[in-house]
Amino acid sequence: DNIMAGTYPNLSSAVTGLAKDKGVMGFYTGWFPGLVGKIPSYGLTWVFFQQLKRMQLQIMKREPFDIENSIMGCLASATTVCIMIPMDTIKTRLVTQLNYPDMIPYNGIFDAAVRITKEEGVRAFYRGLAPRLVSVVPMIGIQFGLYEYMKKVMLARDNLGADKEESRHKMEELSMEVAADDDQPFPAPTVRK
């Protein structure tokens, strides 16, 4: 956030600047609002995707094609972004507030939410919506398309036999855990017997 806000021009400047200006704690500024935003975002995206998939199955009476999984992933992530962007705005404001020495600093998540609403109005939370949608939606759409494709490939490869349904549920649970990790945006875990 500090690089995107222009506090530092690049990663190496950010690392040295944060260490010098704020010490080790500078690297953790905004961690709590970040968690408060990320955990529900991952959960909501998965719930929306699964609900869209269920509706697709009811309407089309067949498993979705790969491109349909990508489209449903895009819709799920776009919906989540629209719901969660106020929390992202608050996190960004908390992390970058030291860039504005003339501004009275926010005293946490609640204070930031109240002050932004009072001072700038609700629309201020959605100023970054378009760039956020452009950056997140395609990535998550690709992620879900690949996730579902690789799941089919692995299930077919393993020829799961009699325990197919139980193994499929284990595979889905494991895959969802890995997919929630944003360090691994394209999961392809395997379930071993």
Side-chain angles (χ1 to χ4, degrees), residues 87-175:
M87 193 64 229
D88 193 53
T89 300
I90 291 168
K91 175 199 59 120
T92 302
R93 295 282 184 98
L94 289 170
V95 170
T96 61
Q97 67 183 335
L98 292 179
N99 293 345
Y100 308 98
D102 296 338
M103 185 182 89
I104 299 169
Y106 299 115
N107 293 319
I109 294 172
F110 185 73
D111 181 53
V114 169
R115 282 187 42 206
I116 292 168
T117 303
K118 279 169 107 177
E119 296 168 11
E120 302 173 55
V122 174
R123 293 183 80 172
F125 291 108
Y126 292 90
R127 280 193 197 123
L129 181 61
R132 185 84 173 144
L133 288 170
V134 168
S135 68
V136 172
V137 170
M139 177 187 67
I140 301 300
I142 292 168
Q143 175 181 334
F144 276 103
L146 286 172
Y147 160 76
E148 291 291 331
Y149 172 77
M150 290 307 298
K151 186 171 74 172
K152 284 189 279 188
V153 167
M154 289 186 294
L155 289 171
R157 182 195 69 196
D158 290 344
N159 194 11
L160 298 173
D163 296 330
K164 185 175 184 178
E165 192 63 23
E166 182 182 337
S167 295
R168 187 178 68 77
H169 286 297
K170 285 181 186 177
M171 174 73 78
E172 281 189 356
E173 289 173 14
L174 179 63
S175 297

Side-chain angles (χ1 to χ4, degrees), residues 6 15 18-19 23 25 30 36 54 58 60 81 98 111-112 120 125 131 146 155 170 173 182:
V15 170
L18 280 171
M25 292 308 292
V36 169
R54 183 181 309 163
Q58 287 175 347
M60 305 298 280
V81 167
L98 292 179
D111 181 53
E120 302 173 55
F125 291 108
L146 286 172
L155 289 171
K170 285 181 186 177
E173 289 173 14
D182 60 0

